[in-house]
Amino acid sequence: MSGLSRREFLQMLAVGAAAGLVGGSKTGPSLDAEAGEVNPESLYSIPPFGNVTLLHLTDSHAQLMPTYFREPHINIGVGTARGKPPHLVGEALLKHFGIAPGSIDAHALTYLDFEMAARRYGKIGGYAHLATLVKKLRASRPQRTLLLDGGDSWQGSATSLWTRGQDMVDAQKRLGVEVMTAHWEFTYGAERVQQIIENDLKGHIEFLAQNISDMTWGELIFKPYVIREINQVPVAIIGQAFPYTPIANPRYLIPDWTFGINDDHMQKMVNEARGKGAQLVAVLSHNGMDVDLKMARRVRGIDVILGGHTHDAMPSPSIVKNAGGKTLVINSGCNSKFLSVLDLKVKQGRLLDFRYRLLPVFANLLTPDKEMSTYIDQVRKPFLHKLGEKLAVTEGLLYRRGNFNGTFDQLIAEALLAVQDAEIAFSPGFRWGTTLLPGDTITMEHLMDQTAITYPTATVNELSGEQIKIIMEDIADNLFHPDPYYQQGGDMVRVGGLRYTLDLTQSHGKRIQSMTVKDKPLDPRKIYKVAGWASVQPIEPGKPVWDIVAEYLRDKKIIRIDHPYKPALKGAANNPGMAT
C-alpha cells in the first residue's frame, strides 16, 4: 500500500465495505467486521470471555517488518487426513469454515486473488504492529493473559542470521513473550541456545521442551513444563519442541541431544502437572498440526494444544476426542501474520467453555508500537546498506509456500542450474519465506528471507540415477506417509531440470515414477551433476546459496516465473487440498 496513508487506507476500506466489497464470514465468528461494517478496526475488538486467556503466535521466522505472505494452493492430505483441516486450500477452506469469498478473511487465509487483495489490504505482520495488538488485548483482559511463542522465531531473516538470533530474542522480550518452545532455534547450535537461555531469557521467558534429553544419561535438557497462576487458576504449559530436529536439520549442531515425540513422557508430564494442582493443561507444540491431532487422540488430560511448525492458519480449533475427554487443537500460521486469542472458562479444575479468534495482523489497521518500532529501527540500522541492495525486478508473483515448487523456489533452482552448470538442482522444501508482488524490486533482504540458515553452502555432487530415485522416495514418504508420526516436516524437495510423476496411492519406494532429465528417462546407472544447498551432513564451508542466486539475479535483472514446476500427480483428483 505504498503511497497511501493509514487514514486513506481506512477510508478506502470503508468505501469498499459500503459497496459490499469487504464482507465478513457467512457464519460463525469472523476475522473481519460484519458485512457492511465501515470501521475495519472493529476486527480487533473482541469482548473478553471466561477467566483465562492464552495468546499464541508461532513460526514468525524472524520477520520483524511487515511483509506479504501467500497461503498455499497445494496442501494435500492423505489417508484419514484427506479433506480435513489443515489440508484444505482456497475455496474448499472457505466453504468448510463458512468464510465469504472476497472478504478480508478470505485474503488472510487463502491464496485466492492474492495479488489484487494484497494491494488492497497491504502487508501483514511486523513486530511493532503485533506489539500494539498484544497490548490492546492485554488491556482488555488485565491479569489473565499468557503470551506463548511456539518457536521458529530466531531464524528466517538476514538480521537474525547476522546477529545469531539476538535481534529476535530482544524483540520477544519487548513483546512480552512468557513461554516458548523451539525448532530452528537449535540450528544456531547447542552452545548458543544455552547461552541465550542463561543470559537473555532467564527471568523473562521460560524455554520448555519435555522431549529433548541428554544422549548419554537420558536426563531432560530443558524444563518440561511450568505452572503459572493466571487469575487464580493454576495453568500448566508443557513444551513440545520439534521432534525430528536432528533429521530435518544438521545433527552436528546438537550432537549430544536426543529428540522424539515421546507420547509416554508427555502423558507422565500431564499427570504430574495435574497432581501439582494444574486446573488447565496446555501443550505449546512444534510438532506440526497432523502430529498434534494424533497426539491429542493418544494422550489424556490435555485441554488444548497450541501448535506450530507446519504454518497452518486455522480459523477454528479442531476438537479431538480421547479416552480422557476432549482436546482443542489450534495452529496459528506463520511470519507474525496471525495472533491467536483463546479465551477459556475454567471452573473447579475443568475447562467448561471457550471462545477462539485467529486475528490477522494487518499493518495498515494497527498503529505500530513506538517502543518496538524504535528497537527495530536500531537493530536494523547497521545492516540497511546490505539489506537494501537491489538485485533484480520481478514481473510475476514470487512465493514459496506449498507442497511443490513455488515461484521463488523455481527461481532458486534455475539459478543453481545456471551458475553451477548442473543438470539437476535440488532446493529444500522449506515453508518459510516471504512473498513479492509483480513489479517489486528483489533486494538482498528478500533473497535472505528465503535462504538465511546457518548451513547455506551451495554444493555440486555427482549422483547416480538410482541415488536420485532413493532421495526422492525418502522425501515423498516424509511428506505423504499416511501416519503423521512418520512425517518429519517440510514440503517436497524443489527440483530443477528433473521431471517426475508422484503417485499418492502408493507406498515408500513406489511413489516416484517416470523420472526424466532433458526429456530422456532417468538412467539408474548414469552419473548426473546435481546442484543443491542446505546439506545436513558435515561439509567444508563454501559459497553460500544467496551468493549464487544474487549472481544470477544481477545478471538477469528482470525475472518472470509464471508456472513453477509441479509433478504429474496420481491419486489427487478432487482432493480439497489442491486447487484445480
Side-chain angles (χ1 to χ4, degrees):
M1 298 304 299
S2 57
L4 279 182
S5 69
R6 183 170 178 272
R7 178 183 295 274
E8 290 168 334
F9 173 75
L10 295 177
Q11 289 173 343
M12 181 193 75
L13 276 189
V15 171
L21 300 177
V22 183
S25 297
K26 294 177 181 176
T27 60
S30 170
L31 295 179
D32 195 6
E34 294 298 323
E37 172 61 62
V38 298
N39 178 14
E41 289 188 280
S42 65
L43 170 64
Y44 302 118
S45 297
I46 306 172
F49 173 83
N51 51 348
V52 173
T53 299
L54 301 180
L55 304 178
H56 179 244
L57 72 153
T58 189
D59 297 272
S60 63
H61 283 287
Q63 295 303 321
L64 288 175
M65 301 293 290
T67 63
Y68 296 112
F69 185 83
R70 177 190 184 273
E71 298 296 332
H73 67 282
I74 303 178
N75 185 10
I76 297 171
V78 296
T80 59
R82 187 185 189 280
K84 298 177 182 178
H87 300 288
L88 301 169
V89 300
E91 293 171 355
L93 184 147
L94 299 184
K95 182 178 180 180
H96 180 87
F97 291 108
I99 297 169
S103 66
I104 198 169
D105 319 48
H107 173 53
L109 292 164
T110 74
Y111 69 91
L112 296 168
D113 300 317
F114 182 81
E115 180 191 345
M116 180 182 70
R119 295 192 189 280
R120 177 190 299 173
Y121 298 121
K123 294 183 177 181
I124 51 86
Y127 268 56
H129 303 83
L130 187 59
T132 295
L133 182 55
V134 168
K135 288 181 178 179
K136 176 181 176 66
L137 291 164
R138 279 182 162 155
S140 68
R141 294 158 170 76
Q143 309 301 316
R144 52 167 285 183
T145 64
L146 198 62
L147 179 58
L148 311 175
D149 186 325
D152 280 5
S153 295
W154 303 353
Q155 175 277 336
S157 72
T159 56
S160 64
L161 180 67
W162 296 336
T163 64
R164 300 189 69 208
Q166 194 65 49
D167 65 332
M168 293 308 302
V169 171
D170 293 339
Q172 284 180 304
K173 291 165 67 176
R174 285 171 169 81
L175 190 63
V177 171
E178 293 159 275
V179 183
M180 70 174 293
T181 191
H183 168 208
W184 274 92
E185 287 77 4
F186 299 122
T187 62
Y188 290 109
E191 183 179 353
R192 175 60 175 155
V193 171
Q194 297 281 33
Q195 180 188 61
I196 289 174
I197 292 172
E198 183 66 26
N199 296 341
D200 297 286
L201 302 191
K202 183 178 288 186
H204 300 280
I205 301 174
E206 295 278 7
F207 190 102
L208 305 180
Q210 72 87 25
N211 59 328
I212 305 177
S213 303
D214 174 82
M215 189 174 290
T216 302
W217 304 106
E219 297 174 347
L220 291 179
I221 301 295
F222 305 104
K223 186 184 294 187
Y225 65 88
V226 63
I227 298 178
R228 292 282 183 89
E229 187 161 300
I230 308 296
N231 198 18
Q232 300 182 334
V233 177
V235 177
I237 307 294
I238 304 174
Q240 175 80 355
F242 181 53
Y244 296 113
T245 300
I247 298 172
N249 309 101
R251 165 161 284 289
Y252 63 80
L253 295 171
I254 40 171
D256 301 320
W257 299 350
T258 64
F259 292 66
I261 295 172
N262 297 3
D263 279 348
D264 291 343
H265 192 258
M266 175 64 77
Q267 186 68 70
K268 181 180 178 181
M269 294 299 96
V270 172
N271 297 345
E272 186 175 300
R274 291 283 187 189
K276 291 182 178 180
Q279 296 182 25
L280 182 80
V281 174
V283 172
L284 181 59
S285 167
H286 205 90
N287 277 332
M289 188 166 174
D290 288 321
V291 177
D292 286 338
L293 291 169
K294 182 172 179 177
M295 175 175 278
R297 294 192 295 269
R298 291 168 61 91
V299 180
R300 303 178 308 277
I302 300 172
D303 293 301
V304 57
I305 298 177
L306 303 106
H309 177 63
T310 41
H311 296 193
D312 301 305
M314 294 291 103
S316 297
S318 295
I319 302 176
V320 180
K321 295 181 180 180
N322 54 53
K326 297 179 181 179
T327 300
L328 305 178
V329 177
I330 71 169
N331 266 239
S332 304
C334 63
N335 276 47
S336 70
K337 182 178 179 178
F338 295 98
L339 180 70
S340 281
V341 184
L342 183 60
D343 285 326
L344 302 163
K345 183 178 182 180
V346 184
K347 190 173 182 180
Q348 296 179 342
R350 294 180 58 225
L351 173 60
L352 300 180
D353 202 356
F354 73 93
R355 299 290 184 273
Y356 176 72
R357 296 289 292 274
L358 179 68
L359 295 179
V361 183
F362 281 102
N364 280 325
L365 297 182
L366 292 161
T367 303
D369 179 74
K370 291 183 179 179
E371 179 186 353
M372 187 69 82
S373 291
T374 299
Y375 165 71
I376 292 171
D377 288 344
Q378 289 174 346
V379 79
R380 286 171 55 83
K381 186 176 180 180
F383 309 110
L384 287 178
H385 180 72
K386 292 170 67 176
L387 295 172
E389 182 189 354
K390 297 177 180 180
L391 301 173
V393 173
T394 179
E395 292 185 343
L397 189 70
L398 289 180
Y399 61 90
R400 167 172 279 166
R401 179 77 169 92
N403 286 159
F404 307 107
N405 290 33
T407 48
F408 219 124
D409 299 302
Q410 193 73 43
L411 167 59
I412 293 171
E414 291 180 5
L416 289 169
L417 288 172
V419 178
Q420 303 285 71
D421 189 27
E423 297 168 275
I424 296 171
F426 287 152
S427 187
F430 296 147
R431 296 186 175 186
W432 45 270
T434 56
T435 300
L436 295 180
L437 303 184
D440 283 353
T441 297
I442 307 170
T443 66
M444 180 58 75
E445 180 167 23
H446 296 137
L447 176 54
M448 295 299 290
D449 285 345
Q450 311 289 329
T451 58
I453 64 174
T454 57
Y455 48 104
T457 298
T459 58
V460 178
N461 293 294
E462 292 187 341
L463 299 176
S464 70
E466 182 181 14
Q467 289 174 310
I468 292 168
K469 172 72 157 58
I470 291 171
I471 290 170
M472 295 290 289
E473 286 284 0
D474 286 347
I475 297 171
D477 194 58
N478 169 51
L479 179 60
F480 296 112
H481 196 291
D483 185 341
Y485 276 23
Y486 290 90
Q487 298 170 8
Q488 297 166 1
D491 280 308
M492 195 63 192
V493 64
R494 282 48 171 136
V495 298
L498 179 70
R499 300 291 182 265
Y500 65 100
T501 295
L502 174 63
D503 189 342
L504 298 172
T505 68
Q506 294 293 335
S507 58
H508 184 256
K510 301 177 182 178
R511 292 189 183 95
I512 304 298
Q513 305 167 4
S514 305
M515 303 177 75
T516 64
V517 179
K518 296 181 179 179
D519 297 323
K520 295 182 179 180
L522 185 79
D523 185 340
R525 294 167 295 182
K526 183 179 176 179
I527 301 300
Y528 294 89
K529 189 176 181 181
V530 181
W533 64 286
S535 172
V536 298
Q537 302 301 321
I539 60 173
E540 288 294 321
K543 182 179 287 190
V545 67
W546 52 78
D547 281 354
I548 298 291
V549 182
E551 178 183 336
Y552 179 81
L553 290 171
R554 293 186 191 106
D555 178 64
K556 290 291 185 181
K557 296 183 176 58
I558 302 293
I559 297 295
R560 180 155 193 123
I561 299 172
D562 290 320
H563 302 290
Y565 176 68
K566 177 174 73 70
L569 296 176
K570 295 180 180 179
N574 302 315
N575 192 305
M578 184 174 71
T580 56

